[in-house]
Amino acid sequence: MRESHLAIDDECGATARIDGVNAMYTVELERTITAPIGEVFDWLTDITNYSVVSIVRRVNLIRPGDVHSAGAGAVREVRTRLLTLTEQIIEYRRPTLLRYRIIRSRPRLRHEDGYLAFDQTPAGTRVRWHTRFEVASPLGSGPLTAAMGLVIATGFHIVLRTAADELGRLPAHPGPDHDQYRQRSTLAPWDPS
């Protein structure tokens, strides 16, 4: 297994691991936001809040969920300059879990799993954002998937940073107890079968 280090910005680090088991790429970022779990969950699961994120061009709630607009069954679209994602919420457990799957995207992705998990800690709310995917390309998805992994990890970072700023509770100079990021990635040749 090879390990490499990527920098998302001056405050945070990310680690990429390539294990050669399959073609899927896993991005997982973790951040503690100094706000109550309910407020953090509500901000990050309400797609309309993403309209204040600098990289987001447009958001749209296509279909509301069963018990809440962001609940199970909800379909939402997020557009950036590099990506358009249509996600369906498959599990909604306020205030601890939102699980989704990407049902359409541009560029086209094969999506295995995605979730936001929330835990209350003494420092605030720890958010773990996880997704597993690969770029669907007949030209060899490996390099494209690795590049898209960095794009998605950067996007997650910006969304989490914006949520912390919008909630107005992030210290001016966060230390390691307040700002934790991890990126794990696994990449290997795609098996079309």
Side-chain angles (χ1 to χ4, degrees):
M1 182 186 326
R2 281 187 333 210
E3 186 170 314
S4 61
H5 297 280
L6 305 169
I8 293 177
D9 71 11
D10 292 338
E11 297 172 9
C12 310
T15 302
R17 289 193 182 109
I18 301 171
D19 69 12
V21 173
N22 58 46
M24 290 290 171
Y25 193 95
T26 299
V27 175
E28 188 169 280
L29 272 76
E30 188 173 294
R31 179 181 187 132
T32 299
I33 298 174
T34 55
I37 191 170
E39 289 180 26
V40 176
F41 181 90
D42 291 345
W43 199 98
L44 285 167
T45 60
D46 181 349
I47 197 66
T48 61
N49 288 328
Y50 289 47
S51 63
V52 299
V53 177
S54 63
I55 60 168
V56 174
R57 300 179 98 188
R58 193 170 100 203
V59 296
N60 186 23
L61 180 62
I62 296 169
R63 181 177 65 221
D66 54 0
V67 297
H68 187 275
S69 64
V75 177
R76 59 196 202 170
E77 181 184 67
V78 179
R79 289 179 183 243
T80 72
R81 289 182 187 174
L82 299 176
L83 283 168
T84 298
L85 302 172
T86 303
E87 304 167 332
Q88 181 177 25
I89 307 305
I90 55 176
E91 189 174 357
Y92 178 88
R93 283 191 278 145
R94 186 181 188 281
T96 58
L97 181 70
L98 179 83
R99 185 174 299 277
Y100 63 93
R101 71 173 170 236
I102 297 170
I103 57 175
R104 277 186 304 279
S105 65
R106 194 183 55 204
R108 199 164 69 86
L109 303 176
R110 281 186 276 280
H111 189 247
E112 212 174 73
D113 187 35
Y115 65 83
L116 287 125
F118 303 81
D119 295 302
Q120 189 69 56
T121 70
T125 302
R126 185 178 67 225
V127 180
R128 190 172 25 146
W129 198 337
H130 166 97
T131 194
R132 187 164 169 80
F133 68 93
E134 73 175 315
V135 173
S137 170
L139 303 174
S141 64
L144 295 173
T145 299
M148 188 58 64
L150 185 56
V151 168
I152 289 173
T154 301
F156 285 2
H157 164 73
I158 293 168
V159 170
L160 291 173
R161 180 65 181 195
T162 302
D165 290 345
E166 288 291 311
L167 289 167
R169 296 190 173 93
L170 187 67
H173 300 286
D177 293 340
H178 296 285
D179 233 349
Q180 302 170 18
Y181 291 88
R182 286 189 318 224
Q183 176 186 353
R184 283 197 332 258
S185 46
T186 54
L187 180 63
W190 173 59
D191 179 8
S193 59

